[in-house]
Amino acid sequence: MEPKASPPPSPPPPRYTPRLIIHGGAGSITRSNLPPALYAQYRSTLLALLSETYASLTSSPSPSQNSSQSTSGNQHHPHPHPSTALTAALTCISKLENNPLFNCGKGAVFNRSGGVELEASVMVSRAGKEGKEGKEGKEGKEGVGWWKRGCAVSLLRRVKNPILFVGEMLRRGGGGGEDGEGRYSEGSDGDGGGAQGHVHLSGRVAEELAEEWGCSEIVDESYFWTRRRWEEHRRGLGLDVDVDEGASADTGENEERRKRRWREKISGAERLREEEQGGKGEGKREGLSDDDDDDDQGWDGKTWLSQGTVGCVAMDQWGTLCVATSTGGLTNKLPGRIGDTPTFGAGFWAEEWNEEEYNHERMGEYLGSPSRVPSPLASMIPFDLPQILRNCLPQVAMEYIPVQRSSHFLEKWPQEEIRAVALGGTGNGDSFLRIAACRTAAAIAKYGHGRSLASAVREIAGSGGDLQLSAGDRWGKTGEGEGGIIGIEMVDGQGQVVWDFNCGGLFRAWVDDEGEKRMMVFKEPY
């Protein structure tokens, strides 16, 4: 009898426990404008997406699944390898973009001219790129980062999923092609796949690049039409919700005809006329989904419609943090307006650093013993004043230590000293822009001598914080200053989920410290 073959070794345990928080917008939400049925809809949607995204961050195949993948693929295991924070966040936001509940993608608000202009952004905490320093690299780390670290897009009208486009822009920034496991290798010509070294693209050129890359479906503008948003747009301008100004409500037009005439405002009359001349308009025009508006019952002007940005902040098992955001912007904004969502430091931010970099007592331990260099001041003094000053005032230095810079500086530091943050904001974008909200919160944590990210977010987005103060005497009257921030902070190898907001509510779902999945809107349970 042949000896039984020993089972393949189990994969090593992850070094970091993944963390995750997502949000679906913030604003003047109250229990009166968020009835139980609508709350239940938001709750089930966000919790389902939270569960799916967290599973992608934490799953790993069993030995039997590993051995079977070579012959049968992974059709029975949706996540053969745990996702990086980047992949998880991009996928999460793309699904919010496809859901008309939220102000992004399919559910985006209209601008003043009755069109959509979409924005999205993504940023990772770690510089570098996947490829050779990824899963098979010398450190044994996957997802060490991406050279551009962050990318943003704006003024998009035809890209179905702006977040997938901006993610591709980030990944191609390091160049090379994608391997079988979703990592990008070296060998680029340095043009970023056509985006060059740029980190923010907008308008027609961006859409042409998205179409060339094939990273997101290109749709007719009419795809983004929903009756709720159209009525919100019209009411906001003081206009009748019927697009046919002056027409009576009992003209006999059926509902489908009315929908088509509304879309004519967005897509242009010529395409509609061509379709009708070809045979009473049978079939749907390109860009309209089969289930378009099946659940779109209009807006009564009172119940809550999602405002602000949607966002996801994730931390993967390799210690990389990622923030991804997407939005349609402000309702009835001027065409061409760019908000905080695609603006680095305002609506999103991620970075990592070494805490000991600011502790001068330990600098020599890692930098070696650099030579002393005379200060220019010393050469101007004819007697030994430096020694006299040292004896009397030990704090005065007549010499300085040149700091040795290296592209591999962080590799000299203990990994457990790394601290990282990632933040995403939602609310009144102009207020976030004025105070560079997310980068300011990160800077408070970084330079604040022991300040936690939670306290920094509270100082910016909490009640009485900088966002609120930026509105001045307009607070509570115009919506200025309203908003919230979500984020993750990694300290001592542990991720901590944080959030705060200064307005009525913030739709948020997260996995808590005990691994429980949570969802809230207000600061107290619904």
Side-chain angles (χ1 to χ4, degrees):
M1 184 175 179
E2 293 185 13
K4 228 180 194 182
S6 58
S10 300
R15 179 165 186 173
Y16 302 96
T17 300
R19 300 305 304 266
L20 178 67
I21 181 170
I22 60 180
H23 77 77
S28 54
I29 312 167
T30 65
R31 284 174 173 78
S32 61
N33 65 18
L34 184 67
L38 184 58
Y39 166 75
Q41 196 174 1
Y42 277 104
R43 178 179 175 81
S44 62
T45 300
L46 290 175
L47 283 177
L49 187 54
L50 181 79
S51 296
E52 183 178 345
T53 306
Y54 193 65
S56 75
L57 287 166
T58 57
S59 64
S60 58
S62 66
S64 61
Q65 288 167 329
N66 272 324
S67 59
S68 66
Q69 283 171 11
S70 59
T71 58
S72 61
N74 64 345
Q75 61 266 34
H76 300 297
H77 191 75
H79 304 294
H81 297 285
S83 294
T84 61
L86 174 65
T87 298
L90 294 176
T91 304
C92 174
I93 295 300
S94 71
K95 294 183 177 182
L96 289 172
E97 289 177 335
N98 295 338
N99 191 319
L101 267 181
F102 303 97
N103 177 22
C104 59
K106 176 62 177 172
V109 300
F110 289 104
N111 63 22
R112 197 170 186 86
S113 296
V116 295
E117 290 176 323
L118 307 177
E119 304 171 346
S121 60
V122 66
M123 193 171 190
V124 293
S125 59
R126 186 172 292 164
K129 58 174 180 246
E130 285 181 296
K132 290 185 179 179
E133 293 185 351
K135 188 176 178 181
E136 307 299 331
K138 59 183 177 181
E139 300 280 343
K141 297 182 293 183
E142 183 173 0
V144 299
W146 292 262
W147 171 64
K148 286 186 176 180
R149 277 196 49 223
C151 286
V153 292
S154 58
L155 303 180
L156 302 183
R157 298 171 178 269
R158 301 185 302 119
V159 178
K160 181 178 179 181
N161 292 110
I163 196 65
L164 298 182
F165 172 41
V166 78
E168 188 72 5
M169 186 175 161
L170 175 66
R171 284 166 161 159
R172 288 178 181 251
E178 187 176 10
D179 67 16
E181 295 183 354
R183 297 187 305 274
Y184 278 73
S185 59
E186 295 187 13
S188 167
D189 57 7
D191 74 343
Q196 299 183 26
H198 306 317
V199 295
H200 187 163
L201 294 176
S202 64
R204 180 179 55 81
V205 170
E207 291 185 335
E208 289 174 353
L209 200 55
E211 186 168 14
E212 176 185 329
W213 289 348
C215 52
S216 172
E217 185 179 349
I218 303 299
V219 296
D220 186 273
E221 288 185 56
S222 60
Y223 164 81
F224 301 104
W225 186 92
T226 62
R227 195 194 316 173
R228 295 184 187 95
R229 292 302 188 185
W230 185 254
E231 292 184 3
E232 177 192 32
H233 157 66
R234 301 281 295 178
R235 290 176 191 268
L237 296 179
L239 302 173
D240 189 89
V241 295
D242 192 337
V243 91
D244 300 317
E245 289 98 349
S248 62
D250 57 352
T251 58
E253 286 185 319
N254 60 38
E255 186 65 15
E256 182 60 27
R257 176 64 181 172
R258 292 169 66 86
K259 288 178 184 177
R260 291 163 60 76
R261 289 184 66 82
W262 268 321
R263 292 174 180 134
E264 179 185 8
K265 267 293 208 196
I266 306 166
S267 303
E270 290 185 4
R271 298 193 61 182
L272 181 59
R273 292 193 188 101
E274 288 172 0
E275 179 186 341
E276 291 179 333
Q277 290 169 1
K280 297 184 181 180
E282 287 93 353
K284 285 182 176 283
R285 288 179 293 130
E286 177 186 356
L288 300 182
S289 61
D290 292 336
D291 59 348
D292 195 41
D293 309 322
D294 285 349
D295 190 39
D296 194 358
Q297 299 301 316
W299 184 52
D300 61 8
K302 298 177 182 178
T303 53
W304 176 253
L305 286 178
S306 178
Q307 304 295 318
T309 305
V310 301
C312 174
V313 180
M315 171 179 161
D316 62 31
Q317 68 171 2
W318 299 278
T320 302
L321 276 60
C322 177
V323 54
T325 68
S326 182
T327 190
L330 291 175
T331 303
N332 291 329
K333 62 186 179 181
L334 287 175
R337 180 259 188 186
I338 295 175
D340 64 306
T341 295
T343 304
F344 282 78
F348 69 103
W349 187 258
E351 67 175 308
E352 71 173 27
W353 65 92
N354 195 289
E355 285 287 83
E356 295 296 330
E357 186 173 353
Y358 307 104
N359 186 339
H360 297 290
E361 294 180 1
R362 294 189 61 190
M363 285 287 280
E365 180 180 342
Y366 298 99
L367 295 178
S369 301
S371 59
R372 297 276 176 172
V373 179
S375 165
L377 178 62
S379 63
M380 300 169 58
I381 301 175
F383 52 91
D384 194 13
L385 181 60
Q387 187 58 50
I388 297 174
L389 289 177
R390 285 192 200 97
N391 293 338
C392 301
L393 303 170
Q395 297 87 346
V396 176
M398 299 303 291
E399 299 170 336
Y400 66 89
I401 302 175
V403 177
Q404 300 173 357
R405 297 290 180 183
S406 169
S407 60
H408 303 291
F409 179 77
L410 287 179
E411 294 181 3
K412 300 180 181 180
W413 298 86
Q415 183 68 21
E416 60 269 21
E417 303 292 348
I418 294 293
R419 186 177 175 193
V421 298
L423 307 99
T426 181
N428 185 285
D430 295 312
S431 301
F432 276 79
L433 284 163
R434 282 199 291 265
I435 66 170
C438 287
R439 169 57 175 150
T440 300
I444 291 172
K446 183 174 182 178
Y447 302 110
H449 304 291
R451 291 285 299 274
S452 68
L453 184 64
S455 69
V457 168
R458 188 180 313 118
E459 184 170 333
I460 299 299
S463 297
D466 285 4
L467 271 174
Q468 179 174 335
L469 295 176
S470 72
D473 59 8
R474 299 177 300 282
W475 171 254
K477 302 174 184 177
T478 64
E480 289 183 70
E482 293 184 358
I485 294 176
I486 65 167
I488 293 176
E489 176 182 33
M490 187 180 75
V491 182
D492 297 327
Q494 301 294 319
Q496 297 294 326
V497 170
V498 304
W499 72 83
D500 210 337
F501 56 97
N502 61 24
C503 48
L506 167 68
F507 289 99
R508 60 202 185 277
W510 74 101
V511 178
D512 67 18
D513 294 343
E514 285 72 44
E516 296 295 322
K517 298 174 180 64
R518 307 277 303 281
M519 183 273 179
M520 292 184 72
V521 181
F522 308 112
K523 295 192 175 179
E524 304 82 25
Y526 181 80

